[in-house]
Amino acid sequence: MVEIKTPEEIALMREAGRVVAHALAAARDLAEPGRTTADLDRAAAGVIAVAGAEPLFLGYQPAWAPTPFPGVTCVSVNDEIVHGPPGQRVLADGDLVSVDCGARLRGWSGDAAISFVVGEADPADLALIAATEAALARGVAAARPGSRLGDVGHAIAAEARAAGYGLTADHGGHGIGRTMHEAPDVANDGRPGRGYQLRPGLTLAIEPMLVRGGSDGYAHSEDGWTVISDDGSRAAHCEHTIAVTEDGPVVLTLP
């Protein structure tokens, strides 16, 4: 069932979203060659704890996962698309890093992701990140009252495909509110004018995942969590939690 939120509930989600934005910024600020992915996770965890919030990812175990998730963030590097558990991997100059983070504050959730390059960047990686951010922006802009989920997915895919990138199959966004994953599913592709009709009070996490080599395919690494590109090329992941309002979409996961 799709839950429509009140303006007061959306305001509480905005506070949770702000915590997530600050946690992501702390992880990004710490990222440099020689740091581990666990270092980034600890930085984000500290922000969440100080805010009095709870991490959404820590201990999460959906039916397909072999173990509970061990971190408060997903830290995915280079050909890792999403869901990378933080650990002792040491970051190197030129690594493309995607950090995904979720937190719940006073009963309401926020979820967002950023991608960036550590140290000296390959211009092709910067172009990939920019295209992923643009696809996210197009998807957010399409989330207006009266539009349909197919319009959101179509907007994301049109941006990704025009730039020549792959768009990870079977992965996309979701409704969000009291819990991290709620109805409806938000695909990163779709047909205009089709699907669930958006109305004020709907809150969504929109999250395109673009692959530099152009493939939509993926595999899972041996840890059972990490999604990797099947062509070995680098990937970027960007996400915001948004609210559909009478005046259009409002991003809830900004600082």
Side-chain angles (χ1 to χ4, degrees), residues 58-222:
L58 185 63
Y60 177 65
Q61 188 176 12
W64 52 264
T67 58
F69 193 76
V72 305
T73 60
C74 300
V75 187
S76 308
V77 183
N78 296 332
D79 66 334
E80 299 173 351
I81 303 170
V82 287
H83 301 163
Q88 295 312 305
R89 178 170 184 163
V90 177
L91 298 176
D93 190 55
D95 278 345
L96 196 167
V97 180
S98 298
V99 183
D100 190 358
C101 183
R104 183 182 294 112
L105 181 67
R106 290 187 284 172
W108 294 94
S109 304
D111 187 6
I114 57 173
S115 291
F116 55 88
V117 177
V118 175
E120 189 70 24
D122 182 337
D125 287 339
L126 296 180
L128 171 64
I129 293 169
T132 309
E133 293 172 342
L136 173 59
R138 285 280 299 273
V140 170
R144 307 186 65 85
S147 295
R148 295 185 178 271
L149 282 176
D151 298 315
V152 175
H154 178 75
I156 291 169
E159 187 73 29
R161 302 300 187 197
Y165 296 116
L167 192 60
T168 307
D170 307 321
H171 288 74
H174 48 88
I176 184 171
R178 300 176 195 273
T179 61
M180 176 168 54
H181 292 134
E182 298 182 353
D185 292 333
V186 184
N188 285 329
D189 202 350
R191 295 174 61 186
R194 304 296 289 271
Y196 182 84
Q197 188 169 40
L198 310 187
R199 54 191 174 119
L202 181 65
T203 49
L204 305 171
I206 299 176
E207 49 179 323
M209 305 156 209
L210 274 58
V211 179
R212 182 170 150 182
S215 174
D216 294 355
Y218 64 92
H220 283 96
S221 68
E222 292 182 359

